[in-house]
Amino acid sequence: MKKLIVAAAAAGLMSLAACGEKNANEAAAENTSAAIENTADNLEAAADNATTANAENALENAADNAHSAADNVADNEATAADNAVAANATGK
């Protein structure tokens, strides 16, 4: 199952890399965000298979943190792109 997830993620990342409209930073941020999301999904699956409540809670917390980290990567790249557009518009 894990190999299937990794293969699907790799295919998705390759399709993102093929987009001609994104610069290298945007593509890297999207790839990083997707990889972190995949990690979060794996943590959630592990939590579902945990044998104790404490382990399940720890894994769910780690998954929540990973989802937040992925969101932060995406948000930071969007902010950087907005700043670059503003800088180009003002000539700075």
Side-chain angles (χ1 to χ4, degrees):
M1 182 66 169
K2 191 180 263 187
K3 289 181 183 179
L4 178 63
I5 293 171
V6 171
L13 294 176
M14 282 189 259
S15 66
L16 286 175
C19 293
E21 295 181 22
K22 297 179 182 151
N23 67 33
N25 291 339
E26 290 171 332
E30 284 191 17
N31 291 345
T32 301
S33 180
I36 295 170
E37 286 288 348
N38 288 334
T39 299
D41 292 342
N42 288 336
L43 288 167
E44 288 174 351
D48 291 341
N49 295 321
T51 56
T52 66
N54 285 342
E56 182 178 1
N57 289 337
L59 289 166
E60 286 290 343
N61 288 340
D64 290 344
N65 290 337
H67 282 298
S68 294
D71 291 344
N72 288 340
V73 168
D75 291 346
N76 288 341
E77 178 52 36
T79 301
D82 290 345
N83 290 344
V85 168
N88 286 337
T90 60
K92 292 183 181 179

